[in-house]
Amino acid sequence: MNLAQLLARSARVFPGRAAVALGAREVYSYGELFHRVAAIAGALRSAVGGCGLQPGDRVALFMANCPEYLELLYGIWHAGLVAVPINNKLHPREVAFILESSAASLLFVAGDRSAAAPMWSDSTPGLRVVSVDEPAYRQLASVAPIDVVARAPDDLAWLFYTSGTTGRPKGVMLSQRNLLAMTLCYFTDVDQATGADSIVYAAPMSHGAGMYNFAHVLVGARHVVPESGGFDVAEIMALSRHYRQVSLFAAPTMVHRLVEHVAEHGVDCSGIKTLVYGGGPMYLEDIRRALAVLGDRLVQIYGQGESPMTITALARQHLADRAHPRYRQRLLSVGVAHSVVEVMVAAADGQPLPVGSAGEVLVRGETVMLGYWRDAEATAATLRDGWLHTGDVGVLDDDGFLTLKDRSKDVIISGGANIYPREVEEVLLRHAAVAEVSVVGRPSAEWGEDVVAFVVCRPAMLAANAELDQLCLESIARFKRPEDYIFVAALPKNNYGKVLKSELRRHWKVIGED
Ligand code: AMP
């Protein structure tokens, strides 16, 4: 099997249906899209005049959402290759790490992204960088098309880099089977997508939003890339009025903005069919308000790169069942296990805990990753006894609803993006005056969480906020830079000298402390 078959099938069944649109403008029908994809695949494989890539080779994408995103993903899979979609907001140095780690043979960029190409080619021998804005790209689609290259269910399809807790991103290996299972349970657990729907990519296609393409390709729905390439509330609402049955995935911060926009301007939101939210905690008052303003259009999912978009879901009917005696509790939860996985709450020894007890959330099933790319140690630590150890702490109730309490991996989620404190800490520690630092999340009404750094300076030395900011700007993405620096005399530590982040967070009472 090969995920590229999903597109091949839809192109046969609905060749004339609109497949890709940029804003309100149709770009390709399914028939045209498939033709381009088969030609791009031909160019990727062809040794003569093409790239000469072999099945299993990695091809990276570093670009904002654009119509080319979908044809490249499918071109890569059609050719039997592995896609490495990279967060468009990363710093060129962070991109260099991913390219080197994945040993990518080819990188597609858009806009001004090729400026860093010499640096990337230096660190990743043999890497070729192609901009979709160059004439060379347009020529790819005129190469002779090839048939879909056969793949086995456990072959790697998508290498998804998460920010690593150790300061280095890890490559989550997602197989053909993982992504197909994720896709099929979209229909049972998330939404009944149909060919009359349009999926609008309001969130980055390099992440979960992009993974929802499969369910929509399968039913022959329209894929709409906003012209802004990002998240502009007025634009999304205009697209929903234009296309009518619109589905989108949005992080809680984006939902919050949509709700405020609709409430403030009295905008008609009947064009939104389904708004799937997740990727970070949604506070009770926010979801209540979202339901009041937008109506029963919401579905929540809980997932992580290691079991993409698929651990639990809080379905539309649960969010709408206001008379249920446990309604409030359910709104606070992330719903019930998706149909293709088992979810367990376990003690530190991996044994299941009784209903009502808090423990680590473990997941087993078809969507759980193969492991971390070239990192046997991290794989063994995360996949134990057949269970994925999520690092999230949760509680199950009698009806199987899971409520998340905390994140044991200390990840900060700001605007839906994951920020691992260690990564930021390592950068700040480069400052000569910084003796110790600990980075934690502070609840923020707008972003979910803000990054805050607690800094201990060396005796008789000082670090200016602007200098610390500058260090961050030089090596990590802007969104990871702390909003605030709090200078303290010492950090709270346990007996083993480990910094007690929970103590730091007590400054502003964080998630998990009901
Ligand atoms: P990522 O691997 O980037 O998708 O981040 C996954 C993490 O985001 C999970 O392990 C959770 O800590 C958090 N997360 C995802 N979905 C939800 C949700 N619906 N509610 C609360 N936290 C979530």
Side-chain angles (χ1 to χ4, degrees):
M1 66 155 296
N2 184 331
L3 290 157
Q5 298 288 3
L6 303 185
L7 177 64
R9 176 180 177 276
S10 289
R12 275 195 305 274
V13 185
F14 331 104
R17 235 188 238 176
V20 181
L22 178 62
R25 182 170 61 85
E26 186 184 322
V27 182
Y28 302 120
S29 65
Y30 269 90
E32 289 163 340
L33 176 64
F34 179 68
H35 187 79
R36 288 181 66 84
V37 160
I40 289 171
L44 294 174
R45 290 296 306 279
S46 165
V48 187
C51 306
L53 301 182
Q54 296 301 315
D57 284 350
R58 274 79 54 210
V59 178
L61 306 181
F62 181 48
M63 51 179 85
N65 291 355
C66 57
E68 290 83 4
Y69 219 104
L70 206 59
E71 66 185 22
L72 278 172
L73 284 176
Y74 277 89
I76 291 167
W77 293 317
H78 192 115
L81 305 166
V82 177
V84 189
I86 301 176
N87 179 350
N88 176 51
K89 295 205 182 107
L90 291 190
H91 190 281
R93 278 176 213 266
E94 295 170 308
V95 176
F97 174 82
I98 293 175
L99 294 170
E100 197 182 341
S101 155
S102 62
S105 305
L106 190 58
L107 166 69
F108 287 99
V109 293
D112 57 5
R113 293 307 165 92
S114 29
M119 172 175 107
W120 295 327
S121 302
D122 267 2
S123 54
T124 306
L127 176 79
R128 185 171 155 202
V129 182
V130 175
S131 166
V132 299
D133 306 315
E134 283 168 12
Y137 181 74
R138 281 190 284 281
Q139 279 159 18
L140 290 188
S142 54
V143 172
I146 58 168
D147 289 339
V148 175
V149 173
R151 298 265 75 193
D154 283 334
D155 279 343
L156 187 55
W158 187 314
L159 195 51
F160 176 85
Y161 274 83
T162 62
S163 303
T165 39
T166 54
R168 284 293 191 200
K170 292 197 288 276
V172 172
M173 295 192 289
L174 298 173
S175 67
Q176 299 277 345
R177 188 208 307 268
N178 291 153
L179 295 170
L180 187 63
M182 177 202 73
T183 300
L184 296 179
C185 76
Y186 182 89
F187 299 99
T188 48
D189 303 303
V190 182
D191 193 29
Q192 271 301 326
T194 74
D197 295 351
S198 296
I199 174 170
V200 173
Y201 295 102
M205 294 171 83
S206 55
H207 284 61
M211 293 186 189
Y212 275 171
N213 91 76
F214 301 110
H216 293 85
V217 161
L218 192 47
V219 295
R222 184 189 285 107
H223 301 256
V224 182
V225 179
E227 274 181 281
S228 66
F231 182 68
D232 175 317
V233 184
E235 184 183 25
I236 300 293
M237 293 313 296
L239 288 172
S240 76
R241 288 192 298 277
H242 180 76
Y243 288 117
R244 301 307 304 165
Q245 291 193 48
V246 158
S247 296
L248 61 144
F249 173 76
T253 316
M254 296 158 77
V255 177
H256 187 74
R257 286 206 205 157
L258 268 177
V259 169
E260 291 317 315
H261 178 86
V262 170
E264 191 180 327
H265 302 282
V267 183
D268 169 24
C269 60
S270 61
I272 295 184
K273 178 189 173 199
T274 307
L275 177 53
V276 184
Y277 68 96
M282 180 88 148
Y283 301 102
L284 183 64
E285 283 321 307
D286 288 343
I287 181 62
R288 282 218 159 108
R289 183 159 160 78
L291 290 166
V293 172
L294 301 177
D296 296 333
R297 299 185 154 74
L298 292 115
V299 179
Q300 183 186 193
I301 61 101
Y302 156 53
Q304 61 175 203
E306 291 81 349
S307 182
M309 308 300 268
T310 316
I311 298 178
T312 62
L314 185 61
R316 194 189 298 260
Q317 67 268 23
H318 289 131
L319 286 161
D321 188 5
R322 293 169 179 79
H324 195 280
R326 293 191 184 168
Y327 184 59
R328 183 179 179 277
Q329 199 46 48
R330 288 187 171 182
L331 284 189
L332 281 166
S333 80
V334 289
V336 299
H338 271 86
S339 48
V340 290
V341 294
E342 293 168 77
V343 172
M344 157 161 98
V345 167
D349 61 4
Q351 291 305 306
L353 285 168
V355 159
S357 306
E360 186 173 8
V361 178
L362 310 192
V363 185
R364 178 163 74 178
E366 297 293 286
T367 50
V368 171
M369 66 167 179
L370 298 171
Y372 294 113
W373 174 254
R374 296 181 178 168
D375 194 340
E377 203 181 317
T379 303
T382 308
L383 295 179
R384 278 183 271 142
D385 304 322
W387 290 89
L388 165 69
H389 288 60
T390 62
D392 291 317
V393 176
V395 177
L396 280 167
D397 74 7
D398 291 319
D399 304 335
F401 285 73
L402 178 73
T403 303
L404 294 181
K405 289 289 172 196
D406 205 347
R407 281 156 289 154
S408 57
K409 287 177 182 168
D410 284 328
V411 62
I412 298 168
I413 302 183
S414 185
N418 279 12
I419 299 160
Y420 283 85
R422 173 82 183 265
E423 217 183 338
V424 186
E425 289 162 6
E426 283 186 3
V427 172
L428 297 175
L429 281 167
R430 291 188 203 147
H431 193 289
V434 175
E436 279 186 290
V437 64
S438 184
V439 168
V440 292
R442 177 175 63 196
S444 142
E446 193 183 359
W447 298 105
E449 282 181 285
D450 279 336
V451 179
V452 175
F454 284 83
V455 181
V456 181
C457 284
R458 294 182 197 286
M461 289 179 86
L462 285 176
N465 289 17
E467 292 164 4
L468 296 172
D469 272 351
Q470 189 51 37
L471 268 177
C472 293
L473 288 176
E474 278 165 17
S475 41
I476 49 173
R478 285 189 98 85
F479 68 86
K480 299 178 184 172
R481 190 170 47 137
E483 278 297 311
D484 235 326
Y485 298 97
I486 300 178
F487 293 89
V488 288
L491 294 172
K493 295 190 182 144
N494 69 10
N495 289 347
Y496 303 104
K498 193 169 140 46
V499 176
L500 294 168
K501 288 189 187 263
S502 49
E503 290 290 317
L504 293 173
R505 292 196 205 102
R506 251 183 256 289
H507 279 252
W508 43 74
K509 288 193 117 202
V510 280
I511 315 163
E513 299 177 22
D514 293 336

